[in-house]
């Protein structure tokens, strides 16, 4: 070991210790949630002031999970959340990547104005436009399920597509695609055009195969965003037929005494599958972020 390497050992040890401490801080809420999901209300509050709150100790029971399934239509809510997430991400990959292709690889009048508008949209919080958007979709006609049959409605409210269509086009996803597409050499496009390819063929056969990392990035980020949607379905889906998992948690509140064990069980049922999937795809996610050119 060289002298410089020996000097760096304490620094690296301190860095790893800091990272471990930060990991524990972020892990505490998850441990509390999982441990509390197996305890009664009284046991949860009794353990709050000790390390026992983070550990599955004491009288443990799976009743909270049984009651969570009994009180909440988890299977139906899970189906809605999966359907909304899959359709939105699938259509979003097509729409956002094609929009970014037009911005990054084609020349047309007004492109700079659209890019400026795209950047502006990135800094506008969704909460600022949620109410105007809700008033808009409340006036749009569409189709909805009523008793298992499709019926014509005068509003998009309380439907699945009110949770899908407004989020297919996403400014942040377009920006990620645009940044990646812009760095691909245009010699590929010119060679394809010389061979008689159309712009769509260039997009399909040249750009897409060269951009799998950014497609992976957008897929993961948009899927997490749609899975965690709460505010929008809360104000646009008052009924149970199109209710997603996140909004389904509200039925555990409002009673004189909240069953916190059942709340934690429901939260664990929502969180653990996503956490397992993220851990499984962690390496792929890191590679996709690095490959997409996302910089801090």
């Amino acid at each position: 070991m060289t002298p410089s390497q020996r000097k760096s050992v304490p620094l690296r040890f301190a860095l790893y210790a800091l990272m471990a401490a930060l990991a524990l801080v972020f892990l505490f809420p998850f441990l509390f949630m999982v441990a509390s999901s197996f305890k009664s209300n009284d046991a949860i509050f009794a353990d709050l002031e000790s390390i026992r709150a983070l550990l599955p100790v004491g009288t443990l029971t799976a009743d909270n999970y049984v009651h969570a399934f009994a009180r909440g239509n988890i299977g139906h809510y899970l189906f809605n959340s999966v359907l909304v997430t899959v359709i939105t991400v699938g259509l979003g990959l097509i729409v956002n990547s094609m929009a970014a292709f037009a911005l990054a690889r084609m020349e047309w009048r007004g492109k700079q104005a659209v890019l400026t508008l795209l950047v502006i949209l990135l800094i506008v919080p969704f909460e600022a436009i949620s109410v105007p958007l809700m008033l808009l979709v409340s006036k749009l006609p569409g189709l909805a399920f009523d008793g298992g049959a499709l019926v014509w409605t005068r509003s998009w409210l309380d439907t699945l597509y009110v949770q899908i269509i407004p989020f297919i086009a996403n400014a942040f996803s377009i920006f990620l695609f645009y940044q990646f597409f812009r760095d691909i050499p245009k010699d590929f496009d010119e060679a394809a055009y010389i061979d008689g390819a159309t712009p769509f063929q260039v997009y399909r056969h040249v750009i897409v195969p060269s951009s799998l990392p950014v497609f992976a990035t957008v897929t993961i980020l948009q899927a997490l965003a749609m899975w965690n949607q709460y505010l929008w379905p809360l104000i646009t889906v008052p009924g149970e037929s199109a209710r997603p998992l996140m909004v389904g948690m509200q039925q555990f509140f409002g009673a004189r005494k909240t069953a916190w064990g059942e709340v934690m069980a429901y939260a664990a049922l929502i969180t653990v599958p996503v956490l397992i999937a993220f851990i499984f795809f962690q390496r792929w996610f890191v590679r996709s972020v690095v490959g997409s050119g996302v910089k801090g």
Side-chain angles (χ1 to χ4, degrees):
M1 182 178 294
T2 63
S4 60
Q5 290 177 330
R6 284 195 296 269
K7 291 180 180 180
S8 67
V9 170
L11 179 62
R12 294 173 64 181
F13 178 80
L15 179 61
Y16 289 146
L18 176 62
M19 294 172 61
L22 288 174
L24 287 176
V25 169
F26 286 107
L27 191 61
F28 282 163
F30 176 76
L31 294 177
F32 176 75
M33 176 187 67
V34 174
S36 299
S37 68
F38 293 99
K39 300 177 182 179
S40 64
N41 262 17
D42 294 337
I44 293 174
F45 286 101
D47 294 341
L48 278 180
E49 297 182 357
S50 67
I51 193 64
R52 292 170 59 90
L54 307 177
L55 303 174
V57 294
T59 303
L60 304 179
T61 176
D63 290 346
N64 290 327
Y65 289 90
V66 176
H67 295 158
F69 273 97
R71 288 182 59 183
N73 194 358
I74 295 180
H76 184 67
Y77 299 160
L78 177 63
F79 174 79
N80 290 338
S81 292
V82 171
L83 187 64
V84 168
T85 300
V86 170
I87 294 178
T88 305
V89 172
L91 294 178
L93 289 176
I94 299 173
V95 172
N96 296 321
S97 62
M98 293 183 71
F101 173 80
L103 290 170
R105 315 297 291 189
M106 302 176 66
E107 297 297 331
W108 43 278
R109 178 180 294 182
K111 184 174 77 170
Q112 292 302 320
V114 174
L115 282 171
T116 302
L117 178 61
L118 183 68
V119 174
I120 294 173
L121 290 175
L122 287 174
I123 63 176
V124 176
F126 177 74
E127 290 78 8
I129 64 171
S130 59
V131 174
L133 184 59
M134 187 267 291
L135 295 176
L136 174 64
V137 298
S138 67
K139 304 297 183 182
L140 296 177
L143 295 173
F145 283 100
D146 185 11
L150 274 176
V151 296
W152 185 259
T153 64
R154 297 182 179 181
S155 171
W156 279 17
L157 299 181
D158 208 19
T159 61
L160 287 175
Y161 46 84
V162 77
Q163 305 173 64
I164 297 174
I165 295 177
F167 302 98
I168 292 176
N170 183 276
F172 183 66
S173 298
I174 295 174
F175 185 74
L176 287 181
F177 280 121
Y178 169 78
Q179 289 289 92
F180 194 95
F181 291 170
R182 191 180 60 174
D183 294 334
I184 298 176
K186 287 194 174 183
D187 295 345
F188 298 158
D189 301 25
E190 295 171 359
Y193 285 132
I194 291 175
D195 290 337
T198 63
F200 179 76
Q201 289 174 325
V202 172
Y203 161 79
R204 172 65 182 86
H205 298 289
V206 177
I207 301 301
V208 172
S210 304
S211 308
L212 296 183
V214 72
F215 274 88
T217 301
V218 172
T219 298
I220 296 172
L221 295 179
Q222 194 167 7
L224 289 176
M226 293 307 302
W227 182 265
N228 293 325
Q229 277 275 16
Y230 180 78
L231 175 63
W232 181 246
L234 180 66
I235 64 178
T236 58
V237 186
E240 293 192 6
S241 60
R243 181 176 294 172
L245 271 173
M246 293 300 172
V247 181
M249 186 180 290
Q250 68 179 346
Q251 64 191 354
F252 290 91
F253 301 94
R256 295 183 61 184
K257 184 178 181 182
T258 301
W260 290 107
E262 297 177 19
V263 172
M264 296 300 173
Y266 190 95
L269 290 170
I270 297 174
T271 306
V272 171
V274 178
L275 182 63
I276 293 174
F278 182 79
I279 292 175
F280 183 77
F281 292 108
Q282 181 181 17
R283 181 175 300 178
W284 181 33
F285 175 73
V286 172
R287 288 179 179 177
S288 65
V289 171
V290 174
S292 64
V294 179
K295 298 179 176 61

